[in-house]
């Protein structure tokens, strides 16, 4: 059974109970207009949109919504825009989530479900794909590889290339192509495999990596020098080194500059770009997403990372067929993201990515 599409991150829509039908209707129209145009909405615009109230009555209701903290005025004009609290209330209680088109489904399926794609390529493709479809910057966090090691093997693919295979206790399989130096024989590959199997079995790679490298220095007298290099190269290929222990992929920064509203405040864009460079904080945010079933939304100050830029994040976990969370993928953009469109895009991309990684080598 699929998890729920949307998981609330902060406020429940109980605030709607305090609004009568007139206030709800006006509030909904203001938010929808703002999300579509990025412009403040005035009483005259609402009157012309079909609200059967006098401009004075509309202004009074807008004032009440402003006093309630749901609307704000960006300038001295009479127009209003939703506050971050207002956007949260709208998303939680009034947003009608659409569905992605058949063409978009086919594009996502075709680009992610191609056979032969390895783990890193799949994450990069998902990030690039989502930023293009959603029109924002996309972020993808790689999984925490905490499963114990079940089996290790080096398989020769030719004179100068080998496949390093790491099988986890959880059934995951990670393959990495490695260059082979001259002099590597089948017995050398087997020696390196045996050495790692004896020392890694049942232990998470990240836990054993440092100890293994220390032990390798002492074991060089027993191991063939070429086999020792294979062991080192294999550890590096699987773990990616300290800097790649948790990979974070960000794509589509240029999309953030195409928004006319964003261009009016380049300082916020600069702050947002600085935020996107905070790898550890972004991974922490996405790890929080991984604890929930369904899409999560963060607006403005709901997360410290984007409080100054006032941006919004829509993210979802991608998981294996065993419902084990592998990582998270999301879209970052201005607070006036097209939530109704982006939410199902993120959700579907996360589902396809999870199925694709689960069905191939992860």
């Amino acid at each position: 059974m699929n998890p729920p599409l949307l998981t609330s991150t902060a406020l429940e829509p109980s605030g709607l109970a305090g609004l009568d039908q007139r206030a709800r209707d006006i509030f909904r129209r203001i938010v929808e207009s703002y999300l579509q145009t990025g412009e403040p909405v005035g009483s005259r615009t609402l009157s012309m949109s079909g609200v059967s109230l006098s401009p004075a009555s509309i202004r009074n209701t807008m004032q009440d919504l402003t006093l309630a903290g749901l609307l704000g005025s960006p300038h001295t004009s009479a127009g209003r825009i939703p506050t971050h609290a207002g956007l949260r209330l709208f998303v939680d209680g009034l947003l009608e989530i659409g569905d992605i088109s058949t063409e978009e489904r086919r594009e996502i399926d075709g680009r992610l479900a191609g056979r032969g794609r390895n783990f890193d390529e799949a994450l990069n493709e998902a990030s690039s794909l989502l930023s293009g479809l959603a029109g924002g910057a996309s972020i993808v966090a790689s999984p925490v590889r905490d499963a114990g090691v079940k089996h290790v093997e080096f398989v020769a693919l030719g004179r100068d290339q080998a496949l390093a295979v790491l099988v986890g206790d959880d059934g995951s399989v990670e393959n990495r192509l490695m260059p082979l130096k001259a002099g590597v024989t089948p017995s050398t590959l087997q020696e390196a495999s045996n050495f790692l199997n004896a020392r890694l079995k049942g232990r998470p790679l990240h836990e054993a990596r440092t100890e293994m490298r220390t032990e390798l220095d002492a074991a060089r007298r027993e191991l063939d020098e070429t086999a020792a290099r294979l062991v080192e190269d294999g550890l590096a290929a699987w773990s990616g080194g300290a800097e790649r222990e948790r990979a974070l992929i960000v794509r589509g920064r240029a999309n953030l500059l195409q928004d006319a509203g964003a261009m009016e405040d380049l300082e916020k864009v600069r702050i947002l770009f600085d935020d996107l460079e905070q790898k550890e904080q972004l991974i922490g945010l996405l790890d929080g997403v991984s604890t929930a079933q369904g899409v999560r939304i963060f607006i403005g100050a709901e997360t410290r990372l984007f409080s100054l830029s006032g941006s919004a994040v829509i993210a979802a976990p991608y998981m294996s067929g065993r419902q084990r969370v592998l990582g998270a993928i999301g879209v970052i953009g201005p607070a006036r993201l097209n939530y109704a469109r982006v939410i199902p895009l993120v959700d579907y991309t996360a589902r396809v990515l999870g199925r694709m990684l689960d069905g191939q080598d992860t």
Side-chain angles (χ1 to χ4, degrees):
M1 191 170 96
N2 288 332
L5 178 62
L6 190 62
T7 300
S8 177
T9 60
L11 302 177
E12 294 300 321
S14 56
L16 289 173
L19 303 180
D20 59 24
Q21 190 57 46
R22 172 195 295 182
R24 286 193 190 197
D25 183 50
I26 290 176
F27 174 66
R28 178 183 57 79
R29 289 173 183 265
I30 290 174
V31 176
E32 289 177 347
S33 177
Y34 171 72
L35 292 179
Q36 182 177 3
T37 68
E39 298 293 330
V41 182
S43 57
R44 183 181 179 191
T45 300
L46 289 172
S47 181
M48 295 174 63
S49 70
V51 177
S52 57
L53 294 170
S54 67
S57 296
I58 295 175
R59 283 193 295 272
N60 288 337
T61 302
M62 291 172 66
Q63 181 63 22
D64 291 340
L65 292 169
T66 302
L67 292 174
L70 300 178
L71 298 181
S73 179
H75 308 293
T76 56
S77 67
R80 295 289 186 271
I81 64 172
T83 62
H84 290 163
L87 285 172
R88 165 56 63 188
L89 188 68
F90 174 81
V91 167
D92 283 351
L94 295 174
L95 178 65
E96 295 181 5
I97 300 174
D99 197 3
I100 61 177
S101 67
T102 301
E103 291 74 18
E104 288 169 333
R105 287 176 183 269
R106 286 174 180 165
E107 181 175 1
I108 294 171
D109 291 341
R111 288 177 60 177
L112 289 186
R115 293 185 179 181
R117 188 184 306 284
N118 66 32
F119 185 81
D120 289 336
E121 288 175 341
L123 295 182
N124 275 286
E125 187 67 24
S127 181
S128 175
L129 170 67
L130 194 54
S131 69
L133 289 175
S138 67
I139 47 175
V140 181
S142 67
V144 177
R145 295 184 176 97
D146 55 1
V149 175
K150 183 177 182 180
H151 181 73
V152 172
E153 189 169 356
F154 294 100
V155 181
L157 298 179
R159 291 184 178 181
D160 57 357
Q161 195 173 57
L163 187 67
V165 184
L166 183 74
V167 181
D169 286 337
D170 60 352
S172 63
V173 180
E174 184 174 347
N175 291 341
R176 300 282 174 167
L177 290 174
M178 295 171 45
L180 285 182
K181 294 181 173 61
V184 177
T185 64
S187 62
T188 301
L189 292 172
Q190 189 61 54
E191 185 178 6
S193 299
N194 292 341
F195 179 85
L196 283 170
N197 279 318
R199 289 157 177 81
L200 282 179
K201 193 168 185 179
R203 302 173 64 187
L205 184 63
H206 69 85
E207 176 187 298
R209 186 175 58 239
T210 302
E211 181 183 325
M212 278 285 302
R213 283 173 176 158
T214 301
E215 185 178 345
L216 184 60
D217 291 335
R220 284 182 185 278
R221 293 184 299 273
E222 301 174 18
L223 267 176
D224 177 89
E225 183 61 29
T226 305
R229 284 201 303 268
L230 265 175
V231 170
E232 284 186 313
D233 291 346
L235 286 171
W238 286 313
S239 67
E243 294 302 317
R244 288 185 55 206
E245 189 167 312
R246 292 298 307 285
L248 178 75
I249 304 168
V250 182
R251 294 283 185 274
R253 289 178 177 88
N255 292 335
L256 301 173
L257 295 174
Q258 295 174 4
D259 181 82
M263 288 298 292
E264 293 178 0
D265 195 342
L266 290 178
E267 178 61 17
K268 284 189 175 182
V269 174
R270 184 193 65 77
I271 293 172
L272 175 55
F273 275 33
D274 288 343
D275 292 338
L276 293 178
E277 298 302 320
Q278 304 301 311
K279 175 183 175 181
E280 290 185 5
Q281 292 187 54
L282 272 171
I283 287 178
L285 183 144
L286 292 177
D287 282 348
V289 168
S290 299
T291 64
Q293 295 280 311
V295 178
R296 296 189 68 183
I297 301 170
F298 304 86
I299 302 174
E302 289 178 3
T303 171
R304 265 190 325 182
L305 183 60
F306 298 112
S307 59
L308 294 179
S309 61
S311 305
V313 182
I314 299 175
Y318 58 91
M319 57 189 66
S320 70
R322 305 173 187 87
Q323 295 301 297
R324 182 177 70 88
V325 172
L326 301 174
I329 183 170
V331 171
I332 298 174
R336 68 175 196 87
L337 274 170
N338 186 340
Y339 297 93
R341 169 173 163 74
V342 177
I343 288 171
L345 275 175
V346 170
D347 178 69
Y348 188 74
T349 303
R351 293 180 194 275
V352 175
L353 179 62
R355 289 198 302 268
M356 179 262 179
L357 292 178
D358 190 51
Q360 295 191 25
D361 296 333
T362 57

